[in-house]
């Protein structure tokens, strides 16, 4: 009997040890898979930079193509460094006040998951900065632009982000406490970028000749619409990582999130198309691409919390909003080269509202909708006012606007001494400064 | 430089005076003779010159009248003659320009071609651009006479602008004023199109081989 008891005890102990080891192994495997997903999603979001670069340079004139590409390229470089130094800490660090993160600066000697999250979030910061470059293209001094990029990725974006997402370690952002929903950043990333761009184009003023002395608004078409379409499609692909990766874990919700993302992009383009037809505008590829981007921006806030049919509605309305708001900005004589304010600012605001309206299990809840309104308004006030002051200060100190001579020559020559399309220029025209 | 201005002025005066008695081709030939053989001689050689051209061109003209006409023109070159097409064709065939004159010739050809292209779209817009340039000339810190010369040049057609003290940098700035004015009044897209077309046309001029118009960009 004693022997049997001893044997049973031994088997029980073995089972316990095996179960414990198995649980540990499962957790480790889950963490590994999560890491793979986060890193892959980060790579997809990084690829969005190519999309932005192609889209923005394609919508600019040939003489400014290099300048646009340089801005996009350095947005990633400068934005990543600044975000590592200060941005990540401000956004995700211990946030006991609900207003600002206070730890995790210069992230070093931390856990593997911290590094994965930093990588993923760095790509988000770079995206917020890049949104601005397209709107301010063709007339902004390169160095002044970079100073702005540092401030956006180091201060404007992370501080607002901490109000919504600042609950990763300790504490919680005050907007998150209110119940504000922004899953992947319709407002935190896109509207913030859009409102900063709005401040930038107001301080800069329109491009030379964009508005005639009699007030007529002139179209200045981009030099390569093939790049625009390709850039739009690359952004679309990258968005699967942007929204899908925001789960920060490899779970089964990713399928719905990416499906919603795709449907919203498709319906955004259709919405833009319908709006162009209804307003008897020509069916432009630039507007169509912007419509789908508007759909993507719009669904970013609620992609994890709404059913596909509502994702489609959100995207469709976002497409319409993109066309209408672009027209409105034009009537206000604001020169947004790529339509970034319409796509990221206005469609982002709508998407954030839609996330509250179509919230699964709590649709049309007035309190939730009001909370969304507050978040949208706060984002506008914060981003627009800080960016406006920032660009005004830059303008008064180092000068934000390129000279008319530089605009005439094209910023490729005047800022970089390079030419994007040398076969069209049989001799080097620029003599330097 | 003064020599160039004098020579150009005398050549013009003689050609215009001869047009009253000779057809444009004969007037051109006669002026060529003056440039080659008489331009560096004293005014007393005028009679000899007239005798020679009547003989070489086999024309019967009153030598006294033509002499008086030439002297009158040399003393007072009439600006009204600017509108004569034949005169332009001949005067356009300037003597080979010196290196110092090339930028001025290319510059004025470029500007005139540019403004005439704008005029084809809308004459009022061309005037607005000229006004814009004139209003901005003050930024060049030119002396008063030169500024008046440029303003006059902008409002007359066909003559090359040659102002001794006008530097390439100042020409670049005038070019730039024209660009900005053009962007304002006809739009940046049309402006860039016109500039590239004019650059092609002016680039084919013999003078542009040694001084590319793109240097003003």
């Amino acid at each position: 009997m004693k022997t049997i008891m001893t044997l049973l005890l031994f088997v029980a102990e073995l089972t316990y040890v095996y179960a414990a080891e198995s649980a540990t192994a499962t957790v480790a495997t889950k963490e590994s898979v999560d890491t793979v997903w986060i890193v892959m999603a980060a790579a997809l979001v990084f690829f969005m930079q190519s999309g932005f670069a192609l889209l923005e340079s394609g919508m600019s004139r040939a003489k400014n193509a290099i300048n646009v590409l340089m801005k996009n390229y350095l947005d990633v470089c400068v934005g990543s460094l600044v975000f590592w130094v200060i941005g990540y800490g401000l956004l995700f660090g211990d946030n006991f006040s609900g207003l600002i993160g206070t730890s995790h600066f210069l992230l070093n000697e931390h856990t593997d998951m911290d590094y994965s999250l930093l990588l993923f979030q760095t790509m988000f910061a770079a995206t917020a900065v890049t949104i601005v470059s397209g709107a301010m293209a063709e007339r902004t001094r390169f160095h002044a632009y970079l100073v702005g990029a540092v401030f956006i990725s180091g201060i404007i974006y992370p501080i607002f982000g901490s109000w919504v997402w600042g609950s990763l370690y300790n504490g919680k952002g005050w907007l998150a406490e209110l119940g504000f929903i922004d899953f992947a950043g319709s407002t935190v990333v896109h509207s913030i970028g859009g409102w900063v761009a709005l401040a930038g184009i107001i301080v800069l003023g329109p491009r030379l000749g964009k508005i005639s002395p009699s007030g007529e608004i002139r179209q200045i078409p981009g030099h390569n619409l093939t790049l625009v379409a390709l850039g739009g499609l690359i952004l679309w692909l990258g968005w699967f990582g942007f929204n899908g990766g925001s789960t920060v874990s490899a779970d089964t919700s990713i399928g719905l999130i990416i499906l919603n993302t795709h449907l919203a992009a498709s319906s955004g383009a259709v919405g833009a198309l319908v709006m162009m037809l209804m307003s008897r505008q020509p069916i432009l590829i630039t507007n169509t691409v912007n419509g789908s981007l508007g759909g993507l921006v719009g669904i970013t806030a609620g992609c994890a919390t709404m059913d596909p049919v509502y994702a489609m509605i959100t995207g469709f309305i976002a497409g319409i909003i993109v066309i209408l708001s672009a027209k409105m900005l034009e009537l206000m004589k604001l020169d947004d080269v790529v339509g970034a304010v319409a796509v990221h600012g206005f469609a982002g605001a709508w998407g954030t509202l839609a996330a509250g309206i179509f919230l699964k299990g709590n649709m049309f809840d007035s309190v939730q909708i009001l909370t969304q309104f507050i978040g949208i308004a706060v984002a506008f006030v914060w981003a627009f006012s800080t960016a406006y002051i920032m660009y005004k200060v830059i303008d008064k100190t180092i000068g934000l606007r390129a000279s008319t001579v530089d605009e005439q020559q094209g910023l490729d020559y005047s800022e970089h001494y390079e030419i994007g399309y040398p076969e069209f220029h049989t001799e080097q025209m620029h003599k330097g400064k | 430089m003064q020599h160039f201005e004098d020579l150009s002025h005398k050549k013009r005066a003689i050609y215009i005076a001869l047009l009253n008695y000779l057809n444009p081709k004969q007037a051109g030939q006669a002026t060529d003779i003056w440039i080659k053989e008489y331009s560096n001689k004293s005014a007393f050689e005028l009679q000899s010159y007239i005798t020679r051209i009547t003989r070489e061109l086999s024309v019967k003209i009153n030598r006294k009248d033509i002499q008086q006409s030439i002297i009158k023109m040399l003393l007072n070159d009439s600006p009204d003659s600017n509108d004569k097409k034949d005169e332009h064709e001949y005067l356009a065939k300037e003597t080979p320009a010196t290196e110092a004159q090339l930028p001025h010739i290319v510059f004025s050809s470029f500007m005139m071609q540019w403004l005439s292209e704008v005029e084809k779209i809308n004459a009022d817009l061309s005037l607005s651009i000229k006004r814009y340039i004139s209003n901005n000339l003050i930024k060049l810190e030119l002396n008063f006479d030169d500024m008046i010369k440029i303003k006059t040049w902008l409002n007359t057609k066909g003559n090359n602008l040659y102002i001794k003290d006008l530097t390439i940098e100042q020409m670049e700035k005038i070019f730039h004023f024209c660009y900005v004015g053009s962007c304002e009044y006809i739009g940046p897209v049309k402006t860039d199109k016109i500039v590239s077309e004019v650059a092609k046309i002016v680039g084919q001029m013999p003078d542009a081989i040694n001084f590319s118009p793109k240097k003003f960009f």
Side-chain angles (χ1 to χ4, degrees):
Chain A
M1 188 65 189
K2 195 180 175 183
T3 312
I4 292 170
M5 282 300 286
T6 309
L7 199 65
L8 278 173
L9 274 172
F10 179 70
V11 169
E13 196 176 319
L14 262 184
T15 310
Y16 176 78
V17 168
Y18 176 76
E21 277 181 2
S22 176
T24 310
T26 306
V27 169
T29 308
K30 174 80 172 78
E31 204 169 299
S32 301
V33 175
D34 287 348
T35 303
V36 169
W37 172 235
I38 292 168
V39 171
M40 208 186 99
L44 280 171
V45 181
F46 177 78
F47 192 44
M48 284 172 73
Q49 295 294 334
S50 319
F52 278 119
L54 292 174
L55 183 104
E56 291 175 12
S57 69
M59 283 197 190
S60 309
R61 284 169 290 180
K63 62 183 177 181
N64 298 308
I66 293 289
N67 180 254
V68 172
L69 293 173
M70 278 292 284
K71 283 178 185 165
N72 278 280
Y73 204 94
L74 279 169
D75 278 340
V76 186
C77 304
V78 173
S80 299
L81 295 174
V82 173
F83 192 72
W84 171 67
V85 172
I86 184 171
Y88 187 78
L90 288 177
L91 206 164
F92 290 110
D94 295 338
N95 191 355
F96 299 110
S97 65
L99 295 172
I100 198 165
T102 52
S103 65
H104 293 73
F105 299 106
L106 295 156
L107 200 72
N108 236 7
E109 295 177 1
H110 275 261
T111 64
D112 288 341
M113 190 45 90
D114 283 336
Y115 294 136
S116 303
L117 290 172
L118 170 64
L119 174 72
F120 186 63
Q121 290 301 330
T122 300
M123 300 310 158
F124 270 49
T127 303
V129 179
T130 292
I131 290 165
V132 182
S133 70
M136 296 168 69
E138 301 201 296
R139 73 262 204 221
T140 312
R141 288 184 64 231
F142 185 64
H143 299 93
Y145 173 80
L146 283 187
V147 173
V150 168
F151 197 74
I152 297 164
S153 53
I155 305 290
I156 298 177
Y157 164 70
I159 288 183
F160 183 80
S162 75
W163 300 345
V164 183
W165 291 342
S167 52
L168 195 60
Y169 299 106
N170 290 304
K172 204 171 187 183
W174 70 274
L175 277 171
E177 287 278 8
L178 281 181
F180 180 70
I181 299 166
D182 189 359
F183 177 69
S186 278
T187 287
V188 175
V189 179
H190 296 282
S191 281
I192 290 290
W195 304 140
V196 170
L198 179 64
I201 60 174
I202 289 173
V203 175
L204 265 179
R207 283 168 289 174
L208 190 59
K210 172 71 181 174
I211 295 158
S212 76
S214 60
E216 177 206 350
I217 297 152
R218 299 194 184 100
Q219 296 306 316
I220 305 178
H223 82 284
N224 194 332
L225 298 185
T226 311
L227 295 185
V228 174
L230 185 59
L233 288 168
I234 288 175
L235 282 168
W236 192 327
L237 171 69
W239 231 285
F240 295 154
F242 197 94
N243 288 354
S246 291
T247 53
V248 290
S249 70
D251 59 39
T252 52
S253 66
I254 294 168
L256 172 72
I257 290 169
I258 295 180
L259 174 71
N260 279 349
T261 305
H262 184 68
L263 286 175
S266 308
S267 58
V270 174
L273 193 75
V274 169
M275 197 60 223
M276 284 185 277
L277 286 170
M278 281 170 60
S279 57
R280 296 174 187 278
Q281 288 182 43
I283 310 299
L284 303 176
I285 190 160
T286 46
N287 281 347
T288 310
V289 169
N290 276 348
S292 62
L293 294 180
L296 288 164
V297 169
I299 198 57
T300 299
C303 57
T305 53
M306 62 171 79
D307 287 319
V309 63
Y310 300 112
M312 217 170 64
I313 294 169
T314 303
F316 186 83
I317 295 173
I320 291 172
I321 286 172
V322 166
I323 302 299
L324 290 176
S325 52
K327 194 75 195 164
M328 184 186 80
L329 291 169
E330 207 171 76
L331 292 173
M332 290 166 73
K333 298 189 171 42
L334 295 172
D335 184 13
D336 179 353
V337 177
V338 300
V341 179
V343 169
H344 298 274
F346 287 97
W350 154 246
T352 309
L353 190 64
I357 296 171
F358 303 129
L359 181 63
K360 196 190 275 188
N362 191 23
M363 280 177 54
F364 305 109
D365 178 52
S366 56
V367 176
Q368 186 61 52
I369 294 169
L370 182 67
T371 308
Q372 297 299 100
F373 257 125
I374 292 169
I376 293 163
V378 167
F380 177 78
V381 172
W382 165 253
F384 182 79
S385 56
T386 49
Y388 187 82
I389 294 165
M390 172 189 79
Y391 283 127
K392 272 283 179 193
V393 171
I394 292 173
D395 196 36
K396 296 285 175 198
T397 51
I398 56 175
L400 185 65
R401 172 111 194 191
S403 70
T404 51
V405 175
D406 290 349
E407 254 188 274
Q408 173 202 314
Q409 291 171 330
L411 300 187
D412 291 0
Y413 291 127
S414 57
E415 297 279 342
H416 311 291
Y417 307 106
E418 280 185 301
I419 42 175
Y421 299 91
E423 61 270 33
F424 298 133
H425 302 269
T426 50
E427 63 184 277
Q428 176 60 268
M429 292 192 282
H430 194 258
K431 297 179 284 295
K433 288 180 179 175
Chain B
M1 294 306 135
Q2 191 60 41
H3 171 71
F4 172 77
E5 282 183 31
D6 288 349
L7 189 67
S8 184
H9 173 77
K10 283 179 184 170
K11 174 188 165 186
R12 178 191 175 84
I14 287 168
Y15 178 77
I16 291 166
L18 290 172
L19 275 180
N20 294 323
Y21 305 93
L22 307 170
N23 65 40
K25 191 182 171 189
Q26 288 170 330
Q29 287 171 339
T31 312
D32 284 341
I33 292 169
W34 178 80
I35 291 167
K36 283 175 193 163
E37 297 179 31
Y38 293 87
S39 60
N40 55 355
K41 292 180 180 171
S42 75
F44 299 109
E45 296 286 336
L46 191 58
Q47 269 189 330
S48 158
Y49 166 67
I50 293 166
T51 307
R52 182 167 166 195
I53 59 169
T54 51
R55 196 176 59 238
E56 282 199 14
L57 298 174
S58 308
V59 287
K60 286 183 179 176
I61 45 176
N62 187 323
R63 293 183 190 182
K64 192 179 169 188
D65 286 350
I66 199 168
Q67 188 176 346
Q68 280 177 348
S69 181
I70 288 172
I71 291 167
K72 194 178 163 190
M73 284 305 296
L74 283 170
L75 293 173
N76 181 26
D77 185 1
S78 166
D80 296 340
S81 57
N82 280 347
D83 295 333
K84 291 180 183 174
K85 186 173 174 286
D86 294 336
E87 176 199 336
H88 281 228
E89 282 174 8
Y90 176 76
L91 290 175
K93 295 172 193 166
E94 291 283 349
T95 46
T98 65
E99 204 174 315
Q101 295 152 11
L102 280 176
H104 296 77
I105 293 165
V106 173
F107 168 74
S108 51
S109 306
F110 200 109
M111 291 287 290
M112 285 302 134
Q113 185 71 34
W114 184 349
L115 291 167
S116 72
E117 290 294 324
V118 176
E119 208 168 313
K120 283 179 198 166
I121 299 170
N122 187 326
D124 289 342
L125 293 179
S126 177
L127 281 174
S128 300
I129 295 168
K130 287 174 182 175
R131 207 176 302 125
Y132 181 87
I133 299 169
S134 295
N135 292 341
N136 281 282
L137 286 176
I138 197 151
K139 294 176 187 168
L140 295 185
E141 295 173 356
L142 293 165
N143 66 49
F144 183 75
D145 287 346
D146 288 348
M147 199 182 294
I148 294 297
K149 274 185 192 170
I150 295 171
K151 285 185 180 182
T152 311
W153 166 73
L154 277 170
N155 292 303
T156 52
K157 291 180 188 175
N159 296 324
N160 283 335
L161 175 75
Y162 188 82
I163 299 173
K164 193 170 61 173
D165 299 329
L166 198 64
T167 62
I168 292 179
E169 283 70 30
Q170 284 169 325
M171 285 188 267
E172 275 177 9
K173 281 183 182 164
I174 297 172
F175 181 93
H176 175 64
F177 295 148
C178 189
Y179 184 85
V180 175
S182 191
C183 281
E184 289 289 319
Y185 290 100
I186 66 165
V189 177
K190 282 181 187 165
T191 298
D192 283 339
K193 192 173 171 225
I194 288 174
V195 169
S196 58
E197 279 171 5
V198 172
K200 271 185 203 161
I201 295 167
V202 177
Q204 287 165 352
M205 283 173 50
D207 292 326
I209 294 167
N210 296 320
F211 188 89
S212 169
K214 288 179 180 177
K215 287 182 179 170
F216 294 118
F217 291 177

